[in-house]
Amino acid sequence: MVFSNNSTANTKQLMKIIPNILLIYTGGTIGMIKDPETGTLRAFDFDNLLVRIPELKLLDCNIETFSFENPIDSSNMEPKYWVDIAEAIEDNYNAFDGFVVLHGSDTMSYTGSALSFMLEHLAKPVIFTGSQLPIGDLRTDAKENLITSIQVASLQHYGKPIIKEVCLYFEYKLYRANRTTKINAEHFEAFASLNYPDLAESGVHLKVNNDALFKPNARKKLLVHKKLDKNIALIKLFPGISEQLLSCIFSTPNLKGVIIETYGAGNCTTEDWFISILKETIKKGIHIINITQCSGGSVTMGQYETSEKLKKIGIVSGKDITTEAAVSKLMYLLGQNITPNLFKTIYETALRGEMT
Ligand code: ASP
């Protein structure tokens, strides 16, 4: 990882007290160039990114940068990189007022969700952003996304940060990161937060929705959780899914938790083989979480006959959690060594505003 100083910003800091922002670069389209031979997009050197946005020097904050030594396309994202990002924030937590993480949009919602669980009692802004077009492209969306993210991370009230949670900023909207999903691979408006209101909107004015902001316990110190357990599975139900396929997944060695994306309000087939395979899996101590494959709305087990049995056999309700948050919450909680009896209650509790 590379750490670099911005001397113009240091001069600004000497003149008056302005927020210190750490810009963490992990990769993604925002800093990519086209390979002249193959035409594919690949990550390039972070220093070029700063050269391409001279406007950053005009912002009323002190910006320092920290970069992954080998920036990645976020499709190569792994929990070990989530730990790298968490450590970059932990190591610099006291020296900075806010953090902006540049990240590919493909898995940005997963990383944002994971960081929300890993950074317990976070009391400063961590804003994830990226872009659909590289920063060098004439029609790029990168400049607005980056500049406004830095401004959002710099927002203060009597010298204290206004935003105290992990957010995602994209195309004029600030969202709670663990409520987002990438919904479009082409539009600049690539993300949505269907079960939670926007935290802020950028127009002529930057309007913050104060009522929707997360209010952490101000007396607690930042606690960084780095143990994540990847022994999980994610299954999306479809009409015709076979017993053979499910038995194969459920007999994966070391499996500790399974998320099932069911239909609508948490419904599934009532076939005996399906219910008994879930029952057997739970008996083996494997947690099963029910989330909906709809983009919006919530699981309500027991509302229909087709979900009543799930409730009876002890399936965990993911309520209105996104798939991205469900995955990272499961990895995080499995890393916490919670007793099996408590697991269901804790998973069903909103820990970082990820469920209603
Ligand atoms: N494939 C890219 C990535 O996620 C897409 C993007 O940055 O928008 O890294």
Side-chain angles (χ1 to χ4, degrees):
M1 288 184 187
V2 182
F3 208 91
S4 80
N5 269 325
N6 179 334
S7 56
T8 316
N10 284 344
T11 319
K12 277 191 210 167
Q13 195 191 19
L14 288 177
M15 286 150 49
K16 62 174 183 167
I17 297 177
I18 53 173
N20 288 322
I21 304 299
L22 183 62
L23 192 55
I24 299 169
Y25 178 58
T26 68
T29 297
I30 193 161
M32 286 186 182
I33 45 163
K34 249 194 193 141
D35 187 306
E37 276 167 27
T38 61
T40 51
L41 286 169
R42 60 174 166 77
F44 81 128
D45 182 16
F46 185 53
D47 290 340
N48 284 331
L49 182 76
L50 294 179
V51 170
R52 291 192 187 264
I53 322 178
E55 293 92 331
L56 289 181
K57 295 192 182 109
L58 304 174
L59 290 172
D60 213 6
C61 58
N62 173 34
I63 303 168
E64 290 192 24
T65 60
F66 182 85
S67 171
F68 271 24
E69 220 158 76
N70 298 307
I72 56 164
D73 184 301
S74 79
S75 305
N76 283 321
M77 189 43 72
E78 266 284 323
K80 67 173 179 201
Y81 297 126
W82 296 344
V83 174
D84 287 342
I85 300 170
E87 283 178 346
I89 294 169
E90 182 182 33
D91 294 347
N92 294 287
Y93 193 67
N94 293 330
F96 290 87
D97 301 291
F99 303 84
V100 174
V101 185
L102 299 181
H103 192 288
S105 62
D106 288 348
T107 59
M108 196 187 289
S109 294
Y110 285 93
T111 306
S113 299
L115 267 290
S116 76
F117 296 114
M118 295 166 80
L119 304 174
E120 192 172 4
H121 309 310
L122 178 73
K124 295 185 179 183
V126 174
I127 317 293
F128 276 81
T129 196
S131 64
Q132 292 281 60
L133 284 176
I135 198 93
D137 196 291
L138 264 186
R139 294 176 47 253
T140 190
D141 50 332
K143 286 192 183 186
E144 200 285 320
N145 285 347
L146 175 55
I147 289 170
T148 309
S149 293
I150 294 173
Q151 285 181 327
V152 166
S154 305
L155 287 175
Q156 296 197 338
H157 185 65
Y158 290 111
K160 291 254 155 52
I162 291 181
I163 314 281
K164 298 166 187 161
E165 60 181 300
V166 182
C167 301
L168 188 155
Y169 182 82
F170 226 87
E171 192 61 4
Y172 303 107
K173 287 196 176 148
L174 182 74
Y175 310 100
R176 175 167 298 157
N178 61 29
R179 291 295 197 142
T180 61
T181 300
K182 184 171 180 183
I183 47 140
N184 203 297
E186 288 176 22
H187 293 173
F188 285 148
E189 198 172 341
F191 291 88
S193 166
L194 290 166
N195 286 333
Y196 198 72
D198 305 337
L199 302 184
E201 195 169 350
S202 166
V204 173
H205 303 288
L206 193 54
K207 280 196 193 144
V208 178
N209 180 359
N210 283 307
D211 293 341
L213 298 180
F214 190 74
K215 320 261 178 328
N217 185 335
R219 276 169 292 165
K220 299 262 174 99
K221 274 199 165 169
L222 177 74
L223 196 58
V224 184
H225 302 279
K226 299 177 194 171
K227 235 179 122 202
L228 301 158
D229 195 328
K230 295 196 290 180
N231 290 305
I232 68 163
L234 172 62
I235 301 168
K236 183 173 188 154
L237 285 193
F238 58 90
I241 195 165
S242 70
E243 182 173 2
Q244 198 188 9
L245 175 74
L246 286 183
S247 330
C248 210
I249 298 173
F250 287 129
S251 48
T252 307
N254 291 327
L255 188 68
K256 300 203 183 107
V258 180
I259 296 162
I260 304 186
E261 278 194 5
T262 56
Y263 310 121
N267 308 316
C268 63
T269 170
T270 46
E271 296 254 17
D272 286 344
W273 68 264
F274 182 75
I275 302 298
S276 59
I277 204 171
L278 298 185
K279 230 172 156 177
E280 287 311 308
T281 306
I282 293 174
K283 257 197 210 149
K284 283 193 267 175
I286 297 170
H287 305 286
I288 303 183
I289 292 113
N290 182 3
I291 67 170
T292 173
Q293 49 185 258
C294 296
S295 325
S298 180
V299 160
T300 318
M301 286 191 283
Q303 182 181 350
Y304 289 87
E305 202 183 7
T306 43
S307 66
E308 209 176 1
K309 283 187 187 149
L310 299 183
K311 195 175 177 181
K312 280 195 185 130
I313 63 172
I315 302 268
V316 179
S317 173
K319 300 182 185 177
D320 63 348
I321 200 167
T322 60
T323 301
E324 293 86 340
V327 165
S328 50
K329 186 173 185 176
L330 184 54
M331 288 187 188
Y332 160 67
L333 288 182
L334 288 174
Q336 296 299 298
N337 288 328
I338 294 164
T339 58
N341 288 350
L342 272 181
F343 191 92
K344 186 174 187 294
T345 312
I346 297 182
Y347 199 98
E348 289 178 350
T349 306
L351 303 177
R352 312 280 190 267
E354 75 283 4
M355 49 170 61
T356 308

